[in-house]
Amino acid sequence: MMLYKEPAPIKDRENPFESMMSRFNIAAEILGLDEEVYNVLKTPTRQVIVNVPVTMDDGKVRVFEGYRVIHSTILGPSKGGIRFAPDVFLDEVKALAAWMTWKCAVVDIPYGGAKGGVICDPFSMSAGEMERLTRAYTQALIDTFGPDQDIPAPDMGTGPREMAWLMDEYSRMKGSTIHAVVTGKPLVLGGSLGRVEATGRGVMVSAMAAMEKLGMDPAKSTAVIQGFGNVGAWAAKLMAERGVKILGVSDVSGAYWNDNGIDIEEAIEYKNNNKGRLEGYKNAEKISNDELLVSKVDVLVPAAVEDVITIKNVDQIQARLIVEGANGPTSYKADNIINEKGIMVVPDILANSGGVTVSYFEWVQNRMGFKWTLDRVNERAERIMNESFERVYAASQKYNVPMRIAAYIVAIDKVAMTYKYRGGF
Ligand code: NAD
């Protein structure tokens, strides 16, 4: 079997596509994946690069480069968010698209994987500029998107507002209202109850399942959470409700530690009244994000950005359990040391898949023209998360591999089997 060759590193951090492929290669070898399927899965099905002109508020026209990468449509229409960021690059979008394929396969929902990106700085753009950019990007990809083809969602730099514009622009061009073309919409526009907290809730469910396997009592365990945005704050709140003492939380402004446990409700209220930041939070000692990651706790939840657990700090990590709320928080070069230390990792493609699961529920509700109750959404999402955790745990026992490789094995096996049934050309 021809194995993937390492591309030249991009920028100073590890290439995310390279990280994804290293783990994919290990799982593919263990599974004995045949060369035909390997070659199909190692590269995206389709990569679209668009350049969209947008009139800025000063009257000048700026051209923005955007991407949409469809990694796979073997399991169904492709699904994945759109990232608006100044440093987004094609290899990152390719990795994120592949992660979406594996994520949907791990939780057994009928979607392939995709991701989009636009090089722009959303924080320096006005609402009008953002709207014109989102509409122009949608127009450029009108033949790619579609409720049975490719279904976008929010990612960093985009949210319900942009999804509403995307849905509206797509619907105008097609001549009728098509809610199911995008998920993560505002509630009044066909969004799903429970979507906002879905990823953090899934992180909590995964953490509880892993603690049970490790014989840890949540009420006697401690945790720290890096990142206090959508995923981190919800995970912190729901874990605290299960009795876990959250000793530290953090965001871009730094980390906040309290030996008696952070009052999560209070910290969320503080953040909401402080432009989304913990900066200046009083009932805690200020430490650095680096210190937070290596602090003496039972559970570490990275829920901020990529590549925060690396060969530089992995030796000092003291937690017994890492639950990856963020996408790609652990660099693949740190994997071996984590395994040697006997730390259990619930990997990103499992731990944060609660978000895409409830996005799938949103799409299902849109197609039925029906709205589910919050209880129904939470109950079904929790069942899917628990079943997926058990599938991955069973694979880790069967193949005697860490949970991360087990998750890739479960995902690749499912996609490869489906490919075999559908047949190649
Ligand atoms: P968010 O923008 O709501 O929050 C991000 C948080 O991380 C903020 O508190 C921010 O201050 C903090 N942060 C940013 N850079 C940091 C740094 N260098 N050190 C410490 N903290 C930092 O984003 P989110 O939606 O919570 O997403 C967080 C992660 O979870 C991302 O990796 C994202 O791809 C992943 N994820 C999100 C979802 C979802 O449904 N929102 C689903 C799956 C995966």
Side-chain angles (χ1 to χ4, degrees), residues 143-164:
D143 294 328
T144 300
F145 296 152
D148 291 309
Q149 257 173 265
D150 178 39
I151 307 138
D155 191 71
M156 274 157 55
T158 61
R161 182 182 72 163
E162 286 71 27
M163 299 307 109

Side-chain angles (χ1 to χ4, degrees), residues 195 199 226-231 251-252 289 303-305 325-327 352:
R195 174 62 187 90
T199 309
Q226 184 193 40
F228 209 61
N230 174 282
V231 180
D251 68 6
V252 273
N289 261 292
V305 286
N327 283 314
N352 70 35

Side-chain angles (χ1 to χ4, degrees), residues 82 84 130-132 134-135 138 152-154 158-173 176-191 362 366:
I82 299 170
F84 279 10
M130 285 290 278
E131 176 171 358
R132 292 192 290 280
T134 306
R135 288 185 185 275
T138 307
T158 61
R161 182 182 72 163
E162 286 71 27
M163 299 307 109
W165 291 327
L166 195 157
M167 178 255 161
D168 181 69
E169 190 61 33
Y170 184 85
S171 297
R172 278 169 198 257
M173 292 188 75
S176 65
T177 298
I178 304 172
H179 290 113
V181 69
V182 61
T183 62
K185 298 179 292 292
L187 263 182
V188 290
L189 210 73
E362 179 176 333
N366 290 160

Side-chain angles (χ1 to χ4, degrees), residues 84-98:
F84 279 10
D87 57 353
V88 68
F89 60 109
L90 191 55
D91 261 11
E92 179 183 14
V93 182
K94 278 166 67 180
L96 289 161

Side-chain angles (χ1 to χ4, degrees), residues 257-318:
W257 178 275
N258 187 329
D259 284 331
N260 298 317
I262 302 274
D263 180 339
I264 299 297
E265 297 278 0
E266 184 203 58
I268 291 176
E269 200 184 326
Y270 181 87
K271 173 192 96 150
N272 290 344
N273 294 326
N274 192 39
K275 297 186 182 141
R277 294 265 181 110
L278 285 167
E279 181 120 52
Y281 179 64
K282 287 281 177 293
N283 293 333
E285 179 195 339
K286 181 110 185 254
I287 59 172
S288 69
N289 261 292
D290 291 345
E291 288 171 291
L292 183 90
L293 291 169
V294 300
S295 56
K296 186 154 178 45
V297 284
D298 301 309
V299 187
L300 167 61
V301 181
V305 286
E306 289 148 37
D307 280 344
V308 294
I309 301 170
T310 67
I311 40 170
K312 290 189 191 136
N313 62 4
V314 63
D315 269 333
Q316 301 156 52
I317 288 195
Q318 303 190 62

